[in-house]
Amino acid sequence: MKYSYIIIVIFSLFISMSCKSAEKTVYNNVNFNEGWVNEHKFIATSIGYPNGHASTKEDIKTSAFNAALALSKVKIENAFAKELPNKKDENNELKNIVEKYIKVEYSSFVDDRYYQIKTTVEYNNLLGLLRGGNIKKILN
């Protein structure tokens, strides 16, 4: 009986520790959770590493930033494509929407090795327009 009490205490500690690991990821007071915040705003976070041809520190920073930004754009386009009713025909329009409305909210060159960025796309009733297939309204 007394061993069962110890097992229950250990199990409950394990559960509480595993729940704490599911909390929001925060780095320098920046929340890096991604996805739909609400119907108007989508957040994507990315890490970009420099390509092997970058030789100067400025080239390394630029290459890493461009890699992170490109990854964020792809993440956003894929998330938007999942919401479209007709997913085949609107790839160019999705790229144009992302190019037009993407904003970098946070960027940091970490340890002179990689860029960490947080990007957003925000538009009034964005999710509703995507789900309704009205992406031409977003571009106008």
Side-chain angles (χ1 to χ4, degrees):
M1 181 71 174
K2 79 177 174 181
Y3 292 113
S4 64
Y5 176 72
I6 293 172
I7 291 172
I8 291 172
V9 169
I10 291 173
F11 183 71
S12 63
L13 285 173
F14 175 74
I15 295 293
S16 68
M17 289 174 64
S18 65
C19 290
K20 286 186 180 180
S21 67
E23 292 176 354
K24 294 179 180 178
T25 306
V26 176
Y27 180 77
N28 288 342
N29 295 328
V30 178
N31 181 351
F32 282 104
N33 286 346
E34 59 183 13
W36 288 102
V37 175
N38 55 36
E39 194 165 310
H40 314 292
K41 186 175 186 178
F42 186 86
I43 294 176
T45 59
S46 299
I47 293 176
Y49 292 93
N51 64 27
H53 302 293
S55 57
T56 66
K57 185 172 182 170
E58 194 60 35
D59 287 344
I60 291 170
K61 282 179 81 171
T62 302
S63 174
F65 180 82
N66 289 339
L69 185 60
L71 180 59
S72 283
K73 288 177 182 179
V74 169
K75 284 181 172 182
I76 293 168
E77 289 169 13
N78 287 339
F80 288 3
K82 289 178 184 177
E83 300 300 333
L84 290 172
N86 185 5
K87 297 177 183 175
K88 295 179 182 175
D89 300 331
E90 284 100 1
N91 286 335
N92 288 332
E93 286 87 355
L94 285 176
K95 289 180 183 193
N96 292 337
I97 290 168
V98 173
E99 285 292 328
K100 187 174 181 179
Y101 293 106
I102 193 167
K103 292 180 184 151
V104 177
E105 284 193 357
Y106 172 82
S107 67
S108 175
F109 192 54
V110 181
D111 297 333
D112 292 338
R113 295 183 314 170
Y114 61 90
Y115 244 105
Q116 183 174 25
I117 67 171
K118 175 183 177 183
T119 56
T120 61
V121 173
E122 195 167 359
Y123 188 82
N124 191 25
N125 194 22
L126 177 62
L127 186 58
L129 290 171
L130 288 172
R131 287 182 176 166
N134 300 324
I135 60 175
K136 303 249 190 250
K137 282 186 181 180
I138 301 170
L139 289 171
N140 294 334

